[in-house]
Amino acid sequence: QGNVRSVDIEVGDLSSISAEEIRGCLEQLSDFKVNIIRKRARVSCECGYTGEPDITHRTHDNVFFECPKCGSVPEVNVGDSIILKAVEVS
């Protein structure tokens, strides 16, 4: 209950909407502070690689990525979500 003063949003590197798009949209539509927390992506590949993927291309609602070791599409472990972590109200 109350007026929103700020929000903390965790945005994964592989989320369908980029942190910049989320920040821009919320700041245009509201008067509260938007704090973006970057969540680095981690993937696992059949070749044995575990770590951050190579992001090859990003569009408004798609992220294309590959394994930096073999070039195949790895399984995402973390970093593909957008999570509202906190809301500060007055």
Side-chain angles (χ1 to χ4, degrees):
Q1 303 267 349
N3 295 321
V4 175
R5 295 173 47 102
S6 69
V7 294
D8 295 347
I9 302 173
E10 181 181 275
V11 180
D13 285 342
L14 301 178
S15 66
S16 59
I17 303 173
S18 72
E20 295 78 24
E21 288 176 301
I22 292 171
R23 180 189 307 279
C25 181
L26 288 176
E27 287 179 347
Q28 285 181 348
L29 299 174
S30 63
D31 60 353
F32 52 79
K33 183 176 179 185
V34 178
N35 301 308
I36 300 293
I37 304 160
R38 179 182 178 199
K39 180 69 171 185
R40 293 189 181 273
R42 288 195 53 83
V43 298
S44 297
C45 186
E46 292 178 351
C47 74
Y49 175 81
T50 300
E52 291 187 43
D54 279 342
I55 297 174
T56 58
H57 186 70
R58 179 183 290 275
T59 63
H60 168 69
D61 59 353
N62 290 300
V63 178
F64 299 93
F65 60 94
E66 63 187 21
C67 172
K69 185 174 177 184
C70 72
S72 67
V73 178
E75 180 179 329
V76 177
N77 299 327
V78 295
D80 61 345
S81 300
I82 300 169
I83 301 170
L84 179 61
K85 300 294 273 185
V87 177
E88 181 184 341
V89 296
S90 57

